[in-house]
Amino acid sequence: MGILVVVAGALFALLLPPAAYASRSYPTGEEADQKLHAIINNETNSIRGLIDHVSPHHDKASDANIIYFAYHGVATAPNGYYGFIGTMDVYGFPLSQGQGSAAAVWISDEGDGARSGLKNIMIGWDVLPDLYGDSKTHFYTKWTNDGYQSTGCFNTKCNGFVPEKGAAIAPGDVIDRVSSPKGAKRNLNLKIIKNGTSGDWLVHTGLDRDPQLIGRFPRSLFTGGFADKAVGVLFGGVAAAPLTNPAPMGSGYLPTDVKSAASISNIQLIDQDGRAWPVTGDLPKVETNPSAYAVSPIVNGQFFYGGHQQPPVVP
């Protein structure tokens, strides 16, 4: 954890043009680390609560170990974050009830640190039999304004995400063709940006193509600061399962095997003026069980992640 404190305070400089350095003040490394981990802790508790709701088959005796994270994140921008751009490999697995695996981008505001203060949007691909009734790979969205206590849901299971008419893909749709760890890749290209006029969070997605507008999260869904901007952006993998029946993350391969591991690439963060800044250096990471699930350093806007190998679905 010590390296996070040292690195986090200086990382946002990688995302700004040189002229911006002198005119902005930055939080200390300790402040940045506290912000990032407040989001992490709050998100962990909230996802546990959500899994209780959609995964009644999981082993409640192992709640403390059921969620595994491996991801990078930032929470150091003085003026907040207004979007994310990136590309994910898409994979599939024959999972059972009680298991789940996802690649995710979180755009978040942890509020006062209480679970009810968490406001976020989560987007990516997942395999979650308890939610969908199958073991197929799906494109998904998820949101909340209070840590999933009384607001928010997956996809369009409640009023929230507003689909764009004629969009090529919608939340909950199956992604039929997936990547092969040692072969051809299927890419999910994402762009999430705060609209400067309406204040809505606009979601753009493309499978093996440039992302197109597919819908929005209206500004009216959110209260407090998240109605205007995000405090943190996180991206990586999540696996959920009882201790006795672990699930794969990413492609199932640890990031030490760069030819087979899943990746997130072309990572860019969007500022208050709508400009996208490539992430050119490493960012703080979180690995809740690094011997099983891990992330590599970010190099040229790309990193590898995942683990706990399990034979994936053959494309």
Side-chain angles (χ1 to χ4, degrees):
M1 299 298 291
I3 193 169
L4 287 179
V5 176
V6 174
V7 173
L11 284 172
F12 190 64
L14 296 171
L15 310 175
L16 295 173
Y21 296 165
S23 62
R24 301 194 183 192
S25 61
Y26 300 96
T28 66
E30 183 176 358
E31 290 170 341
D33 192 55
Q34 288 173 348
K35 284 184 178 181
L36 180 62
H37 284 83
I39 294 171
I40 291 161
N41 293 335
N42 217 343
E43 182 66 29
T44 302
N45 292 333
S46 297
I47 289 180
R48 283 199 177 106
L50 190 61
I51 286 176
D52 284 343
H53 178 68
V54 302
S55 301
H57 304 282
H58 81 266
D59 179 5
K60 293 183 181 296
S62 61
D63 273 356
N65 300 291
I66 194 171
I67 310 294
Y68 300 95
F69 292 99
Y71 56 81
H72 287 281
V74 287
T76 57
N79 296 318
Y81 300 92
Y82 295 78
F84 170 89
I85 294 172
T87 297
M88 300 174 166
D89 308 337
V90 181
Y91 294 89
F93 299 95
L95 300 187
S96 305
Q97 288 187 327
Q99 293 182 306
S101 185
V105 175
W106 295 265
I107 297 179
S108 298
D109 185 338
E110 84 281 6
D112 60 5
R115 175 178 166 183
S116 60
L118 178 69
K119 309 170 194 304
N120 77 3
I121 293 168
M122 185 175 175
I123 297 174
W125 61 264
D126 65 0
V127 182
L128 190 55
D130 283 345
L131 178 64
Y132 301 106
D134 60 45
S135 188
K136 297 178 181 179
T137 301
H138 295 254
F139 168 69
Y140 76 92
T141 62
K142 185 164 71 76
W143 72 277
T144 185
N145 190 50
D146 63 355
Y148 304 103
Q149 293 191 343
S150 62
T151 66
C153 61
F154 276 100
N155 304 325
T156 55
K157 291 185 175 293
C158 65
N159 292 328
F161 181 84
V162 179
E164 190 76 3
K165 185 176 180 180
I169 190 170
D173 280 359
V174 172
I175 301 175
D176 288 318
R177 183 167 56 84
V178 296
S179 302
S180 170
K182 297 183 183 295
K185 305 302 181 190
R186 189 89 200 267
N187 291 324
L188 178 64
N189 298 305
L190 298 174
K191 178 181 178 182
I192 308 150
I193 186 169
K194 197 83 163 65
N195 182 274
T197 302
S198 67
D200 298 344
W201 289 98
L202 305 182
V203 179
H204 303 71
T205 301
L207 282 166
D208 295 327
R209 56 180 289 185
D210 290 339
Q212 305 294 320
L213 180 65
I214 66 161
R216 66 193 65 219
F217 290 96
R219 184 182 189 276
S220 58
L221 292 175
F222 304 105
T223 57
F226 196 60
D228 299 313
K229 62 184 178 182
V231 170
V233 182
L234 317 173
F235 30 89
V238 184
L243 279 173
T244 55
N245 192 22
M249 179 193 295
S251 67
Y253 289 84
L254 283 164
T256 49
D257 185 350
V258 296
K259 293 184 178 180
S260 302
S263 71
I264 298 179
S265 59
N266 188 36
I267 301 168
Q268 302 173 59
L269 300 176
I270 299 173
D271 68 15
Q272 67 270 28
D273 297 318
R275 296 175 298 183
W277 297 101
V279 174
T280 58
D282 201 13
L283 293 172
K285 68 178 181 180
V286 170
E287 300 165 327
T288 55
N289 185 359
S291 64
Y293 307 101
V295 294
S296 72
I298 298 175
V299 178
N300 295 325
Q302 180 183 33
F303 70 95
F304 298 89
Y305 73 97
H308 210 285
Q309 184 174 340
Q310 178 173 326
V313 172
V314 177

